[in-house]
Amino acid sequence: MAINTRNRGTFDWLIIVLYLALVGIGWVNIISASIDPTENYNLFDLSNLYAKQLLFIGLSILLIIFILSLEAKFFERFASIIYVVSILSLLGLFVFGKTISGATSWYGFGSFGLQPSEFAKAATALALAKYLSDIQTDVKSFLHQLRAFVIIALPAICIIPQPDPGSALVYAAFFFPLYREGLSGIYLIIGSVVVGLFILTLAFGPYYVIAGIFAIAVILLIMNRKKRFGKRLYYVLPIVSMLFVFSVDYIFQNVFEQRHRDRFNVVLGKDVDMKSIGYNTYQSEIAIGNGGLFGKGFLKGTQTKGDFVPEQQTDYIFSTVGEEWGFLGSTLVIFLFVGLMLRVIILAERQKSQFSRIYGYSVAGILFIHFLVNIGMVTGVLPTVGIPLPFFSYGGSSLWGFTILLFIFVKLDSNRVNDW
């Protein structure tokens, strides 16, 4: 295994500082979400979540050192192998996996667990970058698009039956690098229309939505009545859309599980059950609202200290920020995340290697989906799907997976002067 001795000290320190800031602030909030303020702190007692997280952070530093010491070309050269190993690790869960909270997503090692889906994101990003950067790959070719979709879909298909639909949802992020490399925007338009029609049908019912589709189709047809070509689309698309609208109820009732239906209904304001499925979100909203402008202060959040928000140290960690650090603290955290994602995109555009650029956009896309869905879930804007806030939520697999994902790009970026 080659060790790189060139370009030491050329790592992007802004990304590193943003990473350390997010990890550090996340750890402070994990302390607040998990500790009894009457207890004494013990950083070496691994029965405490904050002590475990500190151990995970220390191991992350070792991971960073290891990744940055490798030759940058290592990741491109072995991308396919890493991807295959990742798929095998996901398949192995169906035989050797440990079930926690109803999901068989972990390999158990004593009191610790390892969640391979957290590492599969980086492996998929490497594999996609490897395939798309191949000189023979044309992203505008349907066959090559299909192969790229298979690379993205395969780990998602392995994750969904665990069941872990939240982690599978993250793979939609890979349309971001595909679009950057020339994928037609029609896929994004179709996807957006499908999602929009689905939500509108659940919210208002099929007949109102169909009436809206019919009205839009008539208006467009009148506006473009002088065109000789393409008029079939004004008949075909509305018919297809209407058929999809009529299928929404069947999909919702027969494909979605009851817990998923309940979460959608809570967000849509249909069945607001604050004692069961809507409890987490409701308590999270109260916690954030309690924070006001400046917050209640460290270890002084009433919702946090009262354990009113379940899983607050993991998926709902942002509610601790909102309650104890207020609007200003929440804004700071959001700015740190946005700054990190923008920095990754800026550096991705500077890459001379197509492989590095595609991987960089994959990193930005994955971080964005996690950030958007988690914050939306905690604030009640989106249904609860159970995905962590990067670098922030408690958990070794999550922290290590995101650390590997980000610092592979830091390493690739440090080598861009050698990519000709």
Side-chain angles (χ1 to χ4, degrees):
M1 188 178 297
I3 302 296
N4 184 23
T5 59
R6 295 183 295 176
N7 301 311
R8 292 190 182 277
T10 61
F11 307 119
D12 189 81
W13 286 100
L14 180 55
I15 283 185
I16 295 173
V17 168
L18 290 170
Y19 166 83
L20 292 174
L22 288 169
V23 170
I25 296 173
W27 183 62
V28 169
N29 283 277
I30 289 171
I31 292 175
S32 185
S34 62
I35 195 173
D36 183 338
T38 62
E39 295 178 353
N40 294 322
Y41 292 87
N42 187 347
L43 298 180
F44 302 101
D45 182 3
L46 294 181
S47 64
N48 296 319
L49 295 183
Y50 60 84
K52 279 187 178 180
Q53 187 71 6
L54 187 60
L55 173 63
F56 298 151
I57 292 171
L59 293 174
S60 295
I61 301 301
L62 295 179
L63 269 175
I64 291 170
I65 295 172
F66 175 72
I67 291 170
L68 297 184
S69 69
L70 293 174
E71 186 75 33
K73 288 295 181 182
F74 169 85
F75 301 104
E76 183 175 2
R77 191 175 300 123
F78 292 97
S80 300
I81 295 175
I82 294 171
Y83 177 75
V84 170
V85 170
S86 175
I87 296 297
L88 292 176
S89 71
L90 292 172
L91 292 174
L93 288 171
F94 297 104
V95 181
F96 306 106
K98 179 180 179 181
T99 301
I100 299 176
S101 300
T104 309
S105 304
W106 306 79
Y107 288 109
F109 301 96
S111 61
F112 292 89
L114 200 65
Q115 189 175 8
S117 61
E118 294 295 341
F119 305 96
K121 288 171 263 193
T124 305
L126 288 171
L128 183 66
K130 174 73 171 177
Y131 176 70
L132 294 180
S133 61
D134 191 307
I135 195 171
Q136 297 179 343
T137 300
D138 179 10
V139 76
K140 295 182 180 179
S141 163
F142 178 75
L143 179 60
H144 293 172
Q145 290 173 5
L146 185 61
R147 290 173 180 171
F149 292 154
V150 169
I151 292 172
I152 297 168
L154 194 55
I157 291 170
C158 294
I159 291 169
I160 290 173
Q162 294 178 3
D164 190 2
S167 294
L169 173 67
V170 175
Y171 286 82
F174 289 106
F175 281 92
F176 189 35
L178 282 170
Y179 182 72
R180 168 60 183 84
E181 294 305 308
L183 183 70
S184 173
I186 192 65
Y187 292 99
L188 295 176
I189 294 173
I190 292 173
S192 300
V193 169
V194 168
V195 172
L197 289 175
F198 189 86
I199 294 174
L200 288 172
T201 303
L202 293 179
F204 301 105
Y207 296 106
Y208 285 105
V209 176
I210 287 174
I213 294 172
F214 181 77
I216 293 172
V218 170
I219 291 171
L220 292 176
L221 187 60
I222 293 173
M223 291 175 61
N224 297 277
R225 62 184 181 278
K226 294 183 179 180
K227 288 187 177 181
R228 296 182 179 180
F229 303 101
K231 282 193 175 182
R232 290 183 180 179
L233 290 176
Y234 296 110
Y235 300 101
V236 174
L237 291 180
I239 292 173
V240 172
S241 299
M242 291 176 187
L243 290 174
F244 173 75
V245 167
F246 275 119
S247 72
V248 167
D249 184 67
Y250 177 83
I251 295 171
F252 190 65
Q253 297 297 334
N254 295 278
V255 176
F256 283 57
E257 296 181 9
Q258 184 60 45
R259 57 196 176 99
H260 299 138
R261 293 195 292 270
D262 290 340
R263 288 167 181 170
F264 268 99
N265 286 331
V266 168
V267 172
L268 294 173
K270 289 188 174 183
D271 300 322
V272 183
D273 184 358
M274 299 310 175
K275 293 183 179 180
S276 58
I277 198 68
Y279 180 80
N280 290 31
T281 301
Y282 178 64
Q283 295 297 333
S284 174
E285 291 174 0
I286 292 176
I288 294 173
N290 282 347
L293 182 61
F294 299 103
K296 290 181 172 293
F298 181 57
L299 297 179
K300 295 181 180 178
T302 53
Q303 295 295 112
T304 298
K305 293 298 97 191
D307 289 330
F308 286 102
V309 186
E311 305 298 330
Q312 191 166 11
Q313 71 277 4
T314 54
D315 297 341
Y316 282 84
I317 190 67
F318 190 75
S319 65
T320 304
V321 179
E323 183 173 34
E324 298 198 343
W325 305 106
F327 175 79
L328 294 179
S330 300
T331 301
L332 172 63
V333 170
I334 289 173
F335 275 141
L336 289 173
F337 273 109
V338 172
L340 177 61
M341 291 183 285
L342 288 177
R343 185 61 179 170
V344 170
I345 292 172
I346 290 170
L347 292 181
E349 278 298 323
R350 294 180 182 176
Q351 302 304 308
K352 295 175 180 148
S353 161
Q354 187 183 13
F355 175 86
S356 299
R357 182 178 68 243
I358 295 169
Y359 183 82
Y361 270 91
S362 298
V363 173
I366 292 169
L367 293 178
F368 175 73
I369 291 292
H370 268 273
F371 170 76
L372 179 69
V373 173
N374 184 274
I375 299 296
M377 173 186 73
V378 171
T379 55
V381 176
L382 296 175
T384 299
V385 293
I387 62 174
L389 190 60
F391 316 117
F392 227 82
S393 296
Y394 169 80
S397 295
S398 171
L399 179 60
W400 297 336
F402 284 116
T403 298
I404 292 170
L405 177 75
L406 180 63
F407 278 88
I408 288 177
F409 179 66
V410 171
K411 180 60 185 182
L412 294 174
D413 174 68
S414 73
N415 192 60
R416 71 175 183 268
V417 297
N418 297 315
D419 288 326
W420 297 96

